[in-house]
Amino acid sequence: MLRGKAALVTGSTSGIGLGIARALAGQGCAVMLNGFGEPAEIETIRETLAQEHDVPVSYSDADLSQPDDIAALVAMTADQLGGLDILVNNAGIQHTAPVTDFPADIWEMIIAIMLTGAFHAIQHALPHMQEKGWGRIVNTSSVHGLVASVQKSAYVSAKHGIMGLTKTVALETAGQGITCNAINPGFVRTELVQAQIDDRAQKIGASVEEAARNMLSEKQPSLEFVTPEQIGALCVFLCSDAAAQITGVPIPIDGGWTAQ
Ligand code: NAD
């Protein structure tokens, strides 16, 4: 379905971003991977994706907190993959602390990567989409783009912020063959969430699996984690023609979290 298209997925060396990159490659889409990690592991991911799906797959270690890196990342995607049709703003980090103790430098970093980074990526990517009269922007927001939780002031602010950016870009691109939407996942068991599960296990003196169940029972009525594969499939749907008139909306995929 996406053969001939090119996608940049930020933060795709693990977790949700990798799930999205796999799903897009599975539809024949060329993919630019981005993120940090062990170079040898990333090269294995890149090669496997390219071979399994017979698509071009490139990688860049651009730092999404650095505007110059983002400009270079978009240019590299267009050069190496022959365009940029799909942009998935997904790179992200987490830090938990009460607002009174929240380190100011970590606040700045979270906003820089998850909100300002998405702004720069969209600004550089849109001309490539406008040239072709087709484009898809998918922002990995979160349930925390819709509701809050304690100790996550920077994360919740960045994720609410990207909802505003999503709606504005949707309005500015309406009628141009381009859509801009947000995916709002509940808990997905990635490295980012595993760190929170491990902390909780220590705090409540429980096993890691008990802590995981305890965490789900507080927020996610299905009591099951959302998977990167499910989010990848949702992203593929948003890139389809069937979704051409869906724009400017949050799409929760959260086991009922935000229905409460
Ligand atoms: P993850 O830690 O597995 O992946 C994060 C990715 O971002 C990695 O590839 C990492 O290398 C990359 N990254 C981090 N800082 C970066 C930087 N400065 N520049 C470039 N890349 C950078 O975590 P994940 O859970 O897959 O998170 C992906 C996105 O999904 C994040 O935006 C996160 O907020 C969001 N999200 C996660 C959950 C969840 O429960 N895991 C729920 C809702 C939303």
Side-chain angles (χ1 to χ4, degrees):
M1 185 181 87
L2 298 174
R3 201 154 286 276
K5 305 258 189 252
L8 163 59
V9 185
T10 71
S12 47
T13 51
S14 66
I16 294 171
L18 182 53
I20 290 175
R22 281 206 176 104
L24 292 173
Q27 296 296 319
C29 191
V31 176
M32 173 62 76
L33 296 171
N34 158 256
F36 305 144
E38 277 297 311
E41 269 176 39
I42 295 172
E43 180 51 19
T44 306
I45 292 171
R46 193 199 64 73
E47 263 183 5
T48 312
L49 262 189
Q51 278 168 11
E52 276 179 1
H53 303 292
D54 190 24
V55 289
V57 180
S58 294
Y59 163 71
S60 158
D61 66 356
D63 181 342
L64 267 285
S65 69
Q66 303 298 319
D68 291 347
D69 274 25
I70 300 171
L73 174 62
V74 169
M76 180 178 162
T77 306
D79 282 354
Q80 294 193 358
L81 304 181
L84 203 178
D85 308 292
I86 297 166
L87 169 65
V88 183
N89 286 306
N90 173 80
I93 57 170
Q94 176 63 286
H95 183 83
T96 57
V99 69
T100 43
D101 297 339
F102 209 92
D105 56 339
I106 298 181
W107 167 281
E108 297 286 353
M109 183 59 79
I110 287 179
I111 302 291
I113 296 171
M114 302 201 306
L115 182 55
T116 312
F119 155 72
H120 288 295
I122 289 170
Q123 188 172 66
H124 293 298
L126 260 183
H128 295 282
M129 299 177 186
Q130 284 165 332
E131 200 183 305
K132 291 193 191 167
W134 193 95
R136 294 286 187 270
I137 299 169
V138 179
N139 297 318
T140 306
S141 179
S142 165
V143 285
H144 288 116
L146 302 169
V147 295
S149 294
V150 293
Q151 305 215 341
K152 296 185 178 174
S153 55
Y155 188 88
V156 170
S157 300
K159 295 301 191 186
H160 273 68
I162 203 153
M163 297 316 306
L165 181 61
T166 301
K167 291 177 195 172
T168 307
V169 172
L171 293 180
E172 290 184 11
T173 55
Q176 298 180 8
I178 298 167
T179 67
C180 179
N181 293 291
I183 292 178
N184 301 67
F187 283 133
V188 188
R189 198 162 186 176
T190 63
E191 288 169 29
L192 184 145
V193 157
Q194 190 58 48
Q196 295 171 52
I197 297 171
D198 295 345
D199 276 357
R200 183 178 289 245
Q202 280 219 323
K203 261 184 210 143
I204 65 175
S207 72
V208 170
E209 289 316 307
E210 279 165 355
R213 277 195 297 278
N214 175 269
M215 189 164 139
L216 285 171
S217 70
E218 265 177 20
K219 299 282 188 182
Q220 201 146 300
S222 66
L223 301 181
E224 286 172 27
F225 287 100
V226 182
T227 67
E229 291 73 21
Q230 289 162 346
I231 297 172
L234 178 54
C235 182
V236 165
F237 170 69
L238 286 173
C239 293
S240 72
D241 288 340
Q245 291 303 319
I246 299 176
T247 196
V249 293
I251 305 186
I253 173 165
D254 66 2
W257 182 324
T258 52
Q260 296 168 97

